[in-house]
Amino acid sequence: MVAIFHGCVPVFTLGASAATDDALPFEELLPWSELSLRVPSNDLSSLPSRLWEVATDGPRLRAMQAKLGCAWRSLFWSSLVGSCFGEPTDDGGDAYGALMAVLRARLLRRGSAALGGCAGVPRAASSAESPPGADPALLRLRPT
């Protein structure tokens, strides 16, 4: 993933076919199909030609790199390790914020069944009840 921070289009060889492809980080938030190249592991013989297609299609390559320029912060843990490229570390736009957004969306999608029969499990309702360092806005289960 470090190559992404330098504008390199990532190439993933996940799963034996597109149907058995593994998930990529934060797929609910990041348009991986628009900013990366996926080649099923049973089709690796096509990798050189697929790379050549992207490399020789300037507009497509630039579009993929532009999308990477918008997505890279969602993959970097600035709030935990500090700023590396001068990016803000406290605005929720890093990998921690992306993870919280994905988990929140999954809970909302699953509705009340998300607690899976754990009725009575307390939810953080205020910053006083939140874990130390937790941002209550990121922990809310319902949109504001």
Side-chain angles (χ1 to χ4, degrees):
M1 292 288 190
V2 174
I4 290 173
F5 306 135
H6 299 285
C8 298
V9 173
V11 177
F12 298 104
T13 58
L14 307 168
S17 68
T20 61
D21 209 354
D22 295 324
L24 292 172
F26 311 131
E27 276 193 319
E28 292 94 334
L29 299 176
L30 300 177
W32 286 109
S33 62
E34 300 172 20
L35 54 85
S36 69
L37 185 60
R38 285 174 129 166
V39 180
S41 59
N42 66 352
D43 193 25
L44 288 179
S45 62
S46 73
L47 183 58
S49 63
R50 300 214 25 217
L51 288 173
W52 184 251
E53 287 173 22
V54 173
T56 58
D57 185 348
R60 179 180 177 196
L61 179 59
R62 284 188 292 283
M64 293 172 91
Q65 289 172 324
K67 291 198 183 285
L68 280 172
C70 296
W72 73 269
R73 281 202 59 218
S74 295
L75 300 168
F76 193 66
W77 296 86
S78 302
S79 60
L80 299 178
V81 299
S83 175
C84 220
F85 304 104
E87 74 279 5
T89 59
D90 59 354
D91 66 349
D94 71 337
Y96 178 79
L99 176 61
M100 293 299 106
V102 166
L103 293 176
R104 181 173 173 264
R106 288 179 185 177
L107 283 172
L108 290 172
R109 194 171 47 246
R110 291 178 64 191
S112 61
L115 294 178
C118 296
V121 173
R123 293 189 319 183
S126 70
S127 58
E129 298 173 4
S130 298
D135 180 348
L138 293 175
L139 296 175
R140 269 197 285 284
L141 295 177
R142 290 175 178 57
T144 56

